[in-house]
Amino acid sequence: MSQEAAVFGETSPPGKSLYTPFNVIAGIILIVGFVITILRFTKGLGAVTNLDNNYPWGIWIGFDLMAGVALAAGGYVTSAAVYIFGMKRYHSAVRPAILTGFLGYALVVVALHYDVGRPWRLPYPFIMQQGTTSLLFEVAACVALYLTVLFIEFSTAPLEWLGLKRARSIVVRLTMVLTIFGVILSTLHQSSLGALFLLAPSKLHPLWYSSYLPVFFFVSSVIAGLSMVIFESTLSHRYFAHKMDETHLAEKEGVALGFGKAASLVLAGYFTIKVLGISMDNNWHLLGTGYGMWFLVELLGFIALPCFLYAVGVREKNLCLIKWTSGLTVLGIILNRLNVCLIAFNWHLPSDEKYFPHWMEIGISVFVVTAGIVVFRFIVTRMPILYEHPDYKDSH
Amino acid sequence: MSVSRRKFLGWLGAAGMGTAFGTSANAASNKHFTGYPDSMGILHDISLCVGCRSCEAACNKVNELPPPEKPFDDKSVLDKKRRTTASVHTVVNKYDNAEGTKGPVFVKTQCNHCLEPACASACFVKAFAKTKEGPVSYDPSVCVGCRYCMVACPFNIPTYEYDSAFSPRVMKCTMCHPRVIQGRLPGCVESCPKEALTFGKRDDLLRIARERIRKHPERYVDHIYGEHEMGGTSWLYLSNTSFASIGMREDLGTTAAPNLTAGALGAVPLVVGLWPVLLTGVYAMSKRKEKIAKEEEAQAVGDAVAATKAEGEEKLSAALAKAGKDKDSAIKREVKKALEEAAKAQKEEAAEAKTEEDA
Amino acid sequence: MEKGKSMRRWAGFLITVAIISMCSIGVQGIAELSENVEKRADVVTIDTMKIFGDLERPEVAFLHDLHTDALEKMKKDCSTCHLSGKNFEIIPDTLRAAVEGIDRMSPKFKRLRDMGRQEVMDIYHTNCIECHTNMLADGEKSGPVTCGECHKEDEDKVMSSRQPAGFDKSLHFRHSKAQENKCERCHHEFDEKTKKLVYVKEKEGSCRYCHKKETEENRIPMQLASHLSCIDCHKQTKAQNKKTGPVKCAGCHDLASQDAIAQVDTVPRMERKQPDMALLRIKTEGEMPGRMDPVPFDHKAHEEYNDTCRVCHHENLDSCNKCHTLEGSKEGKGVNLEQAMHLLNTETGCMGCHEARQDDPKCSGCHSFIEKGRRQDTASCARCHTTLPETAATTDVQLSKEEMSATAAKMLEARKPVTDTFKDEDIPEKIIIKDMVNKYGPVEFPHRKIVQTLVKGIKDNKLANYFHSEKSTVCQGCHHNSPATQKPPRCGNCHDRPFDENNLFKPGKMGAYHIQCMGCHEEMGIKKPVGCTDCHKEKK
């Protein structure tokens, strides 16, 4: 058993104790998270967050929801690439991407339960009154539907694991329809998350506010999806290589190169439309202000730079560079969502009225991510995600 | 996949029937809502306000809000700029040294009850509604607590009861809607001694405001705040100093909030309609490409096989021909040999017969 | 991975970080205009190069007094920078005596006239930078030597606090006394025939009547004229060791210095053969029936009401109707006689000035509520426009100036206005306002005391007296929009329900009381009563 596997691989490698370093740390995070959860639901939002009347949305929305949804976009991007565009050589990346997507969206919904004032009323927009003038309604509907789509798409793995052949074959036949439906739903809710902020032009800094916000969010979600697949694939290979079958191991390089190339192209396009966005509103003079500098950091350091690095990495077949660039891009997407939602929001306010998250908010975010990783590990080590189930080889 | 003509026509008919039942959507249109007829509003004449905070006290009493930290007759509270909170629907703020005035200027802030409210547009459970009497009402019985309304409001008014664990509500001025329906005055209006707050139909208030500006051009800034801002609000303001210097934003524009997202919402049905077509098209194209690639491959294999076969047959027939030829020549040789032998035998016989004759 | 590739990658990364950091540091340098911006009265904007075309660099804010002081310390004087020339600019003969013994200097820097672009620019650059460099070499604190330190961008410039300087009656009197009433020392006119500046007696006027903001025809601008005349004369007097006016910028143009100028309490009347009384009537040529009655005008009294003549005589010392004719003329800039006299938004005319007087705290308590854009009540025309007395014969008769003056005097004599109101016994002493008792108790309104205070405040004001001579007029300040009688209606007669749809512009009773009472107190600067309980006790 490799050292990594001993640390991180199985929940408990046979014969070894349950208390691996990862398990201990994860355990502590989960316990703390559990305590904060109790506080949140018995004492209210005010007791565990720094949310106030000027900043109703904090990192639970900015990071867990917005960045989470963007980074879970790998699901639709990969399945679209493989099933709609017919790029069969990425097939091994589909299941991990769907799993990441499904867990991502599931955790988004979990985090939403913390943030919203009365989470037991979350079904209300569907069953009580439909606020169809609101983009948030559209986001809610599409996320709910898409979570269902992802669940069904993911369910092939546990069905195979449980040996339910008939159910599994029904699900597999739905793949095409689900993939198309998934792309439609993703386009809608990824762009609508950006469109939410169209309603607040007076509160969002002009360099980030644009009537193209929905387009920006959608395009960056594609980038996020591509990068997350590379990122997740790298981590999986490091810690779960022993679970991977030959196809998976063989296709790994192809996935990184292919997705890296795609990401470079889309980043270039994204950079262009961002610059066009500034040009359309004639906001060049704002680039010389403090916020302008911060915008340039995002634009140059987290969009232009990864675009260039991806291109270099793909050309030189430098997987290490591609791996690091995917990490940089993921950070850039998170930064962009945080900028739009928190940093460039209500930028007029003096700094003593600005928002910084409470440690408990950060605690819940970490808790949610950790829970996601733990569940991911559970699934990946038991179900046919990184390998093909011997009973169902070549039967898609 | 192939579709029969009948099926196709059936789908068209169904789609057509569906469109007949819709109401006009006017997505991203420039329709302008000028308010329900006879909807009420309030005119706040800032030049009359003396900062006595009677309005704050009345609001607190009428809405049964929790008692404040400092009593309402404490004027020191005005030294700091305040905003609405979960237990305070309205605040009066003081502005010293406002340009062109003798003394400090006092401004009352509360929900402006916009004609096309951003909060109502934002709410995904329709918890906010613009009533026909004028106030924008809030229904806490459906509110989920997503707080998007707080993000959307350009005036930063709605607040949230973060300290309530089980029934947190969004809090804002209600323009005393229950009282207004009964024909009574909102609490703040009733209590203002200087009638700095005038209650009436919005159209009448605009008339009053214009008349005041006409009568005293030296006193008022020639602008009624709220007449057009964010598409128009039910709360109108007159001021004796520039609005920007008393904390009222002049850069909000005149576009009503719902129009800001109408474009994005209008794109949703477009995506739902077009994406399946596009994606199916791409899928079909990629499938076709695959098929053609397979066919070409099969073709190439077939050609190769055929070529090999033909070559083999050629060789075989050549060999057969050669064999035949050999056989023929062999036969010929044998025949020739036999004929030669026969001739030879005949010759010998003839010679023998002659010899016998001679003897 | 090859070492070369790794190095290149790191190099690229570091370069990017460096660029971003430099940009971020540059952001700090984009400074805001600081709160404590320096404000000086001696800021001279050097934008001479404008006459040669567009400026390449921003104008220079030159601090004149700073340099004068610095040169004084070095025992140098004006000639360090200003050249004297014998025949530059026309020296009015009249001024010669005033500037006897002084080297007339060109206000231009180290030149007598503007030659070419390069030469002028070189004069500035060479001389300024040379002097500064020399001083720095001597170890002295000195001015800038690099381009950007002089040619500063807008945000970094020093702000000018220069107040316009000028004469009022008091200062003029002090000057004429010093000049022994020899008007010719300063006042002159341009004689077309002799092409010289000559003095014409009894035609003296303000400098600004001829010397405008910019050069017009052959008249130099006011700025140049005043600096040449005033400063040169002051220099001469100073040289004679006599008490004199300032020669430095701040001396005249700084607000504090202006406030420190000694004021003469009673300034004797300027002698310029102006009328004591004038009869303002519409000029006639031949038959002209249907003319507005003339206005007798106490010119002498009005001289005392203003600090300068220019408040009314804004272009010259002629009578108004010379330019402001009945129909309006080009000289009058199209403003006809009726407008000139009656426009409310300017203090140059009669009614505008009278209207502005109502802002006085003694008046504004009532007058701030009166609509500014109102059409006057026709009865008030008669306050000024009076029918000619019989002795002035028919209206067609052309009266001489003296006759007109005498007539005017008589007409004014006939009406001696006094602010009047009802007798004390007829004015209620206290009124208990108890019809709105709710949260607060009744108000004990000191009605008589208020009326008496108001009357006392205005009875010495002649203007007020003209308009408040009817007994019931003063009452109308509060008892408005109703007939003027001895027993005017109580407020509640008209002010009832607030927000009445049929009465949009009338406040309700509570609003009426508070707007009137509190508004008046605010306008008149009354400190008490102001708060709620100052007028009515709270009911517990």
Side-chain angles (χ1 to χ4, degrees), chain A residues 227-262:
Chain A
S227 302
M228 254 323 254
V229 167
I230 299 173
F231 187 68
E232 171 271 316
S233 150
T234 313
L235 288 176
S236 296
H237 274 270
R238 182 142 149 67
Y239 296 109
F240 301 116
H242 57 290
K243 281 283 171 199
M244 292 181 173
D245 65 6
E246 273 170 32
T247 331
H248 215 102
L249 290 166
E251 285 185 359
K252 170 202 161 177
E253 184 173 320
V255 165
L257 290 175
F259 276 41
K261 197 197 298 187

mmCIF file of all heavy atoms in Angstrom, chain A residues 227-262:
data_model
loop_
_atom_site.group_PDB
_atom_site.id
_atom_site.type_symbol
_atom_site.label_atom_id
_atom_site.label_comp_id
_atom_site.label_asym_id
_atom_site.label_seq_id
_atom_site.Cartn_x
_atom_site.Cartn_y
_atom_site.Cartn_z
ATOM 1 N N SER A 227 -11.262 23.543 -15.783
ATOM 2 C CA SER A 227 -10.122 23.556 -14.859
ATOM 3 C C SER A 227 -10.349 22.637 -13.684
ATOM 4 O O SER A 227 -9.426 21.979 -13.201
ATOM 5 C CB SER A 227 -9.861 24.981 -14.379
ATOM 6 O OG SER A 227 -9.606 25.820 -15.466
ATOM 7 N N MET A 228 -11.590 22.605 -13.191
ATOM 8 C CA MET A 228 -11.874 21.745 -12.039
ATOM 9 C C MET A 228 -11.664 20.275 -12.405
ATOM 10 O O MET A 228 -11.187 19.493 -11.577
ATOM 11 C CB MET A 228 -13.317 21.909 -11.573
ATOM 12 C CG MET A 228 -13.508 22.686 -10.293
ATOM 13 S SD MET A 228 -12.292 22.464 -9.034
ATOM 14 C CE MET A 228 -13.153 21.472 -7.855
ATOM 15 N N VAL A 229 -12.033 19.900 -13.613
ATOM 16 C CA VAL A 229 -11.832 18.500 -14.026
ATOM 17 C C VAL A 229 -10.344 18.167 -14.000
ATOM 18 O O VAL A 229 -9.935 17.130 -13.475
ATOM 19 C CB VAL A 229 -12.417 18.268 -15.441
ATOM 20 C CG1 VAL A 229 -11.947 16.946 -15.991
ATOM 21 C CG2 VAL A 229 -13.927 18.311 -15.381
ATOM 22 N N ILE A 230 -9.528 19.055 -14.550
ATOM 23 C CA ILE A 230 -8.079 18.809 -14.538
ATOM 24 C C ILE A 230 -7.585 18.751 -13.093
ATOM 25 O O ILE A 230 -6.826 17.857 -12.698
ATOM 26 C CB ILE A 230 -7.338 19.941 -15.282
ATOM 27 C CG1 ILE A 230 -7.784 20.013 -16.740
ATOM 28 C CG2 ILE A 230 -5.826 19.720 -15.218
ATOM 29 C CD1 ILE A 230 -7.218 21.198 -17.484
ATOM 30 N N PHE A 231 -8.076 19.711 -12.279
ATOM 31 C CA PHE A 231 -7.628 19.797 -10.885
ATOM 32 C C PHE A 231 -8.009 18.537 -10.121
ATOM 33 O O PHE A 231 -7.193 17.928 -9.413
ATOM 34 C CB PHE A 231 -8.267 21.048 -10.271
ATOM 35 C CG PHE A 231 -7.785 21.384 -8.902
ATOM 36 C CD1 PHE A 231 -6.489 21.817 -8.692
ATOM 37 C CD2 PHE A 231 -8.618 21.273 -7.802
ATOM 38 C CE1 PHE A 231 -6.036 22.139 -7.427
ATOM 39 C CE2 PHE A 231 -8.169 21.586 -6.531
ATOM 40 C CZ PHE A 231 -6.883 22.017 -6.336
ATOM 41 N N GLU A 232 -9.282 18.173 -10.257
ATOM 42 C CA GLU A 232 -9.769 16.994 -9.532
ATOM 43 C C GLU A 232 -9.065 15.740 -10.026
ATOM 44 O O GLU A 232 -8.709 14.859 -9.235
ATOM 45 C CB GLU A 232 -11.297 16.933 -9.708
ATOM 46 C CG GLU A 232 -11.961 15.663 -9.216
ATOM 47 C CD GLU A 232 -12.014 14.604 -10.300
ATOM 48 O OE1 GLU A 232 -12.349 14.949 -11.454
ATOM 49 O OE2 GLU A 232 -11.702 13.442 -9.997
ATOM 50 N N SER A 233 -8.850 15.677 -11.331
ATOM 51 C CA SER A 233 -8.174 14.513 -11.894
ATOM 52 C C SER A 233 -6.759 14.402 -11.331
ATOM 53 O O SER A 233 -6.296 13.310 -10.992
ATOM 54 C CB SER A 233 -8.150 14.646 -13.422
ATOM 55 O OG SER A 233 -7.023 14.025 -13.941
ATOM 56 N N THR A 234 -6.098 15.541 -11.183
ATOM 57 C CA THR A 234 -4.751 15.519 -10.614
ATOM 58 C C THR A 234 -4.774 14.984 -9.195
ATOM 59 O O THR A 234 -3.982 14.102 -8.822
ATOM 60 C CB THR A 234 -4.175 16.942 -10.586
ATOM 61 O OG1 THR A 234 -4.393 17.558 -11.844
ATOM 62 C CG2 THR A 234 -2.709 16.925 -10.263
ATOM 63 N N LEU A 235 -5.700 15.522 -8.392
ATOM 64 C CA LEU A 235 -5.762 15.075 -7.000
ATOM 65 C C LEU A 235 -6.137 13.602 -6.921
ATOM 66 O O LEU A 235 -5.561 12.845 -6.121
ATOM 67 C CB LEU A 235 -6.783 15.921 -6.235
ATOM 68 C CG LEU A 235 -6.376 17.358 -5.949
ATOM 69 C CD1 LEU A 235 -7.516 18.096 -5.284
ATOM 70 C CD2 LEU A 235 -5.143 17.422 -5.084
ATOM 71 N N SER A 236 -7.101 13.192 -7.773
ATOM 72 C CA SER A 236 -7.500 11.779 -7.740
ATOM 73 C C SER A 236 -6.320 10.891 -8.072
ATOM 74 O O SER A 236 -6.112 9.862 -7.445
ATOM 75 C CB SER A 236 -8.622 11.525 -8.744
ATOM 76 O OG SER A 236 -9.760 12.232 -8.393
ATOM 77 N N HIS A 237 -5.578 11.295 -9.066
ATOM 78 C CA HIS A 237 -4.434 10.464 -9.464
ATOM 79 C C HIS A 237 -3.407 10.370 -8.365
ATOM 80 O O HIS A 237 -2.735 9.351 -8.215
ATOM 81 C CB HIS A 237 -3.808 11.016 -10.748
ATOM 82 C CG HIS A 237 -4.478 10.494 -11.972
ATOM 83 N ND1 HIS A 237 -4.079 9.344 -12.600
ATOM 84 C CD2 HIS A 237 -5.557 10.949 -12.632
ATOM 85 C CE1 HIS A 237 -4.887 9.126 -13.631
ATOM 86 N NE2 HIS A 237 -5.788 10.071 -13.668
ATOM 87 N N ARG A 238 -3.312 11.439 -7.576
ATOM 88 C CA ARG A 238 -2.308 11.406 -6.527
ATOM 89 C C ARG A 238 -2.735 10.471 -5.411
ATOM 90 O O ARG A 238 -1.938 9.753 -4.842
ATOM 91 C CB ARG A 238 -2.137 12.832 -6.004
ATOM 92 C CG ARG A 238 -1.098 12.979 -4.950
ATOM 93 C CD ARG A 238 -0.336 14.312 -5.125
ATOM 94 N NE ARG A 238 0.111 14.837 -3.846
ATOM 95 C CZ ARG A 238 1.034 14.255 -3.077
ATOM 96 N NH1 ARG A 238 1.574 13.140 -3.436
ATOM 97 N NH2 ARG A 238 1.368 14.792 -1.927
ATOM 98 N N TYR A 239 -4.040 10.515 -5.086
ATOM 99 C CA TYR A 239 -4.468 9.781 -3.898
ATOM 100 C C TYR A 239 -5.279 8.524 -4.172
ATOM 101 O O TYR A 239 -5.432 7.693 -3.292
ATOM 102 C CB TYR A 239 -5.296 10.721 -3.008
ATOM 103 C CG TYR A 239 -4.498 11.882 -2.474
ATOM 104 C CD1 TYR A 239 -4.703 13.179 -2.941
ATOM 105 C CD2 TYR A 239 -3.497 11.688 -1.538
ATOM 106 C CE1 TYR A 239 -3.962 14.242 -2.477
ATOM 107 C CE2 TYR A 239 -2.750 12.750 -1.065
ATOM 108 C CZ TYR A 239 -2.979 14.025 -1.543
ATOM 109 O OH TYR A 239 -2.228 15.066 -1.076
ATOM 110 N N PHE A 240 -5.820 8.402 -5.377
ATOM 111 C CA PHE A 240 -6.653 7.243 -5.651
ATOM 112 C C PHE A 240 -6.170 6.448 -6.857
ATOM 113 O O PHE A 240 -6.953 5.726 -7.475
ATOM 114 C CB PHE A 240 -8.109 7.676 -5.896
ATOM 115 C CG PHE A 240 -8.724 8.412 -4.746
ATOM 116 C CD1 PHE A 240 -9.115 9.736 -4.888
ATOM 117 C CD2 PHE A 240 -8.894 7.805 -3.518
ATOM 118 C CE1 PHE A 240 -9.687 10.430 -3.845
ATOM 119 C CE2 PHE A 240 -9.452 8.486 -2.462
ATOM 120 C CZ PHE A 240 -9.846 9.798 -2.621
ATOM 121 N N ALA A 241 -4.875 6.621 -7.195
ATOM 122 C CA ALA A 241 -4.381 5.951 -8.399
ATOM 123 C C ALA A 241 -4.632 4.451 -8.357
ATOM 124 O O ALA A 241 -4.885 3.809 -9.381
ATOM 125 C CB ALA A 241 -2.908 6.248 -8.574
ATOM 126 N N HIS A 242 -4.610 3.905 -7.156
ATOM 127 C CA HIS A 242 -4.766 2.454 -7.057
ATOM 128 C C HIS A 242 -6.185 2.023 -7.403
ATOM 129 O O HIS A 242 -6.463 0.854 -7.590
ATOM 130 C CB HIS A 242 -4.416 1.998 -5.641
ATOM 131 C CG HIS A 242 -5.247 2.675 -4.595
ATOM 132 N ND1 HIS A 242 -5.108 4.007 -4.291
ATOM 133 C CD2 HIS A 242 -6.232 2.211 -3.807
ATOM 134 C CE1 HIS A 242 -5.971 4.330 -3.340
ATOM 135 N NE2 HIS A 242 -6.667 3.261 -3.036
ATOM 136 N N LYS A 243 -7.085 2.981 -7.464
ATOM 137 C CA LYS A 243 -8.469 2.631 -7.806
ATOM 138 C C LYS A 243 -8.727 2.739 -9.306
ATOM 139 O O LYS A 243 -9.802 2.401 -9.778
ATOM 140 C CB LYS A 243 -9.425 3.589 -7.085
ATOM 141 C CG LYS A 243 -9.643 3.253 -5.637
ATOM 142 C CD LYS A 243 -10.602 2.086 -5.523
ATOM 143 C CE LYS A 243 -10.636 1.606 -4.085
ATOM 144 N NZ LYS A 243 -11.177 0.260 -3.997
ATOM 145 N N MET A 244 -7.739 3.271 -10.029
ATOM 146 C CA MET A 244 -8.012 3.589 -11.435
ATOM 147 C C MET A 244 -7.702 2.421 -12.337
ATOM 148 O O MET A 244 -6.746 1.683 -12.108
ATOM 149 C CB MET A 244 -7.165 4.790 -11.854
ATOM 150 C CG MET A 244 -7.603 6.048 -11.147
ATOM 151 S SD MET A 244 -6.606 7.418 -11.679
ATOM 152 C CE MET A 244 -7.461 8.726 -10.870
ATOM 153 N N ASP A 245 -8.515 2.253 -13.371
ATOM 154 C CA ASP A 245 -8.239 1.175 -14.325
ATOM 155 C C ASP A 245 -7.371 1.696 -15.458
ATOM 156 O O ASP A 245 -7.031 2.867 -15.519
ATOM 157 C CB ASP A 245 -9.560 0.561 -14.832
ATOM 158 C CG ASP A 245 -10.386 1.569 -15.631
ATOM 159 O OD1 ASP A 245 -9.906 2.697 -15.889
ATOM 160 O OD2 ASP A 245 -11.526 1.234 -15.980
ATOM 161 N N GLU A 246 -7.027 0.780 -16.351
ATOM 162 C CA GLU A 246 -6.057 1.134 -17.391
ATOM 163 C C GLU A 246 -6.526 2.270 -18.274
ATOM 164 O O GLU A 246 -5.768 3.183 -18.595
ATOM 165 C CB GLU A 246 -5.777 -0.086 -18.262
ATOM 166 C CG GLU A 246 -4.682 -0.957 -17.701
ATOM 167 C CD GLU A 246 -4.605 -2.267 -18.443
ATOM 168 O OE1 GLU A 246 -4.903 -2.248 -19.668
ATOM 169 O OE2 GLU A 246 -4.275 -3.271 -17.803
ATOM 170 N N THR A 247 -7.810 2.201 -18.670
ATOM 171 C CA THR A 247 -8.317 3.257 -19.562
ATOM 172 C C THR A 247 -8.120 4.619 -18.918
ATOM 173 O O THR A 247 -7.652 5.576 -19.533
ATOM 174 C CB THR A 247 -9.837 3.085 -19.804
ATOM 175 O OG1 THR A 247 -10.171 1.723 -19.697
ATOM 176 C CG2 THR A 247 -10.231 3.660 -21.133
ATOM 177 N N HIS A 248 -8.490 4.656 -17.631
ATOM 178 C CA HIS A 248 -8.416 5.912 -16.899
ATOM 179 C C HIS A 248 -6.997 6.442 -16.875
ATOM 180 O O HIS A 248 -6.737 7.608 -17.168
ATOM 181 C CB HIS A 248 -8.893 5.686 -15.452
ATOM 182 C CG HIS A 248 -9.622 6.848 -14.911
ATOM 183 N ND1 HIS A 248 -10.993 6.877 -14.813
ATOM 184 C CD2 HIS A 248 -9.179 8.031 -14.439
ATOM 185 C CE1 HIS A 248 -11.354 8.029 -14.298
ATOM 186 N NE2 HIS A 248 -10.262 8.753 -14.046
ATOM 187 N N LEU A 249 -6.085 5.554 -16.519
ATOM 188 C CA LEU A 249 -4.687 5.991 -16.423
ATOM 189 C C LEU A 249 -4.164 6.412 -17.788
ATOM 190 O O LEU A 249 -3.429 7.383 -17.906
ATOM 191 C CB LEU A 249 -3.835 4.846 -15.855
ATOM 192 C CG LEU A 249 -4.088 4.540 -14.379
ATOM 193 C CD1 LEU A 249 -3.481 3.200 -13.992
ATOM 194 C CD2 LEU A 249 -3.509 5.636 -13.506
ATOM 195 N N ALA A 250 -4.584 5.672 -18.807
ATOM 196 C CA ALA A 250 -4.075 6.004 -20.137
ATOM 197 C C ALA A 250 -4.634 7.328 -20.635
ATOM 198 O O ALA A 250 -3.919 8.106 -21.278
ATOM 199 C CB ALA A 250 -4.445 4.882 -21.112
ATOM 200 N N GLU A 251 -5.912 7.560 -20.360
ATOM 201 C CA GLU A 251 -6.528 8.777 -20.917
ATOM 202 C C GLU A 251 -6.181 10.017 -20.131
ATOM 203 O O GLU A 251 -6.458 11.138 -20.561
ATOM 204 C CB GLU A 251 -8.062 8.616 -20.938
ATOM 205 C CG GLU A 251 -8.553 7.703 -22.039
ATOM 206 C CD GLU A 251 -10.079 7.662 -22.099
ATOM 207 O OE1 GLU A 251 -10.726 8.340 -21.267
ATOM 208 O OE2 GLU A 251 -10.612 6.969 -22.961
ATOM 209 N N LYS A 252 -5.573 9.851 -18.970
ATOM 210 C CA LYS A 252 -5.354 11.005 -18.080
ATOM 211 C C LYS A 252 -4.627 12.137 -18.794
ATOM 212 O O LYS A 252 -5.039 13.308 -18.726
ATOM 213 C CB LYS A 252 -4.554 10.548 -16.860
ATOM 214 C CG LYS A 252 -4.081 11.719 -16.021
ATOM 215 C CD LYS A 252 -2.884 11.360 -15.167
ATOM 216 C CE LYS A 252 -2.173 12.633 -14.728
ATOM 217 N NZ LYS A 252 -1.071 12.390 -13.858
ATOM 218 N N GLU A 253 -3.554 11.770 -19.499
ATOM 219 C CA GLU A 253 -2.776 12.840 -20.136
ATOM 220 C C GLU A 253 -3.605 13.533 -21.203
ATOM 221 O O GLU A 253 -3.601 14.768 -21.309
ATOM 222 C CB GLU A 253 -1.512 12.231 -20.753
ATOM 223 C CG GLU A 253 -0.606 13.284 -21.350
ATOM 224 C CD GLU A 253 0.717 12.685 -21.806
ATOM 225 O OE1 GLU A 253 1.257 11.825 -21.086
ATOM 226 O OE2 GLU A 253 1.203 13.099 -22.870
ATOM 227 N N GLY A 254 -4.348 12.718 -21.954
ATOM 228 C CA GLY A 254 -5.187 13.285 -23.012
ATOM 229 C C GLY A 254 -6.206 14.261 -22.453
ATOM 230 O O GLY A 254 -6.454 15.329 -23.033
ATOM 231 N N VAL A 255 -6.777 13.892 -21.317
ATOM 232 C CA VAL A 255 -7.774 14.781 -20.707
ATOM 233 C C VAL A 255 -7.126 16.105 -20.344
ATOM 234 O O VAL A 255 -7.632 17.186 -20.660
ATOM 235 C CB VAL A 255 -8.385 14.106 -19.455
ATOM 236 C CG1 VAL A 255 -9.132 15.124 -18.624
ATOM 237 C CG2 VAL A 255 -9.304 12.979 -19.864
ATOM 238 N N ALA A 256 -5.971 16.016 -19.664
ATOM 239 C CA ALA A 256 -5.317 17.257 -19.234
ATOM 240 C C ALA A 256 -4.971 18.130 -20.431
ATOM 241 O O ALA A 256 -5.223 19.341 -20.441
ATOM 242 C CB ALA A 256 -4.064 16.939 -18.425
ATOM 243 N N LEU A 257 -4.404 17.516 -21.467
ATOM 244 C CA LEU A 257 -4.000 18.312 -22.626
ATOM 245 C C LEU A 257 -5.206 18.879 -23.355
ATOM 246 O O LEU A 257 -5.253 20.057 -23.704
ATOM 247 C CB LEU A 257 -3.159 17.456 -23.575
ATOM 248 C CG LEU A 257 -1.761 17.080 -23.056
ATOM 249 C CD1 LEU A 257 -1.072 16.132 -24.022
ATOM 250 C CD2 LEU A 257 -0.909 18.329 -22.875
ATOM 251 N N GLY A 258 -6.188 17.993 -23.574
ATOM 252 C CA GLY A 258 -7.361 18.455 -24.317
ATOM 253 C C GLY A 258 -8.125 19.534 -23.579
ATOM 254 O O GLY A 258 -8.480 20.575 -24.145
ATOM 255 N N PHE A 259 -8.390 19.302 -22.312
ATOM 256 C CA PHE A 259 -9.136 20.283 -21.534
ATOM 257 C C PHE A 259 -8.318 21.551 -21.329
ATOM 258 O O PHE A 259 -8.863 22.665 -21.275
ATOM 259 C CB PHE A 259 -9.538 19.686 -20.173
ATOM 260 C CG PHE A 259 -10.796 18.874 -20.231
ATOM 261 C CD1 PHE A 259 -11.054 18.010 -21.290
ATOM 262 C CD2 PHE A 259 -11.746 18.980 -19.225
ATOM 263 C CE1 PHE A 259 -12.223 17.266 -21.338
ATOM 264 C CE2 PHE A 259 -12.917 18.235 -19.265
ATOM 265 C CZ PHE A 259 -13.158 17.374 -20.321
ATOM 266 N N GLY A 260 -6.997 21.371 -21.214
ATOM 267 C CA GLY A 260 -6.137 22.550 -21.065
ATOM 268 C C GLY A 260 -6.199 23.416 -22.303
ATOM 269 O O GLY A 260 -6.278 24.644 -22.229
ATOM 270 N N LYS A 261 -6.204 22.766 -23.470
ATOM 271 C CA LYS A 261 -6.280 23.533 -24.714
ATOM 272 C C LYS A 261 -7.609 24.281 -24.792
ATOM 273 O O LYS A 261 -7.658 25.468 -25.103
ATOM 274 C CB LYS A 261 -6.156 22.569 -25.911
ATOM 275 C CG LYS A 261 -5.815 23.291 -27.193
ATOM 276 C CD LYS A 261 -6.064 22.486 -28.440
ATOM 277 C CE LYS A 261 -5.253 21.239 -28.543
ATOM 278 N NZ LYS A 261 -5.446 20.607 -29.874
ATOM 279 N N ALA A 262 -8.659 23.543 -24.461
ATOM 280 C CA ALA A 262 -9.982 24.178 -24.497
ATOM 281 C C ALA A 262 -10.031 25.348 -23.526
ATOM 282 O O ALA A 262 -10.542 26.429 -23.857
ATOM 283 C CB ALA A 262 -11.055 23.161 -24.150
#
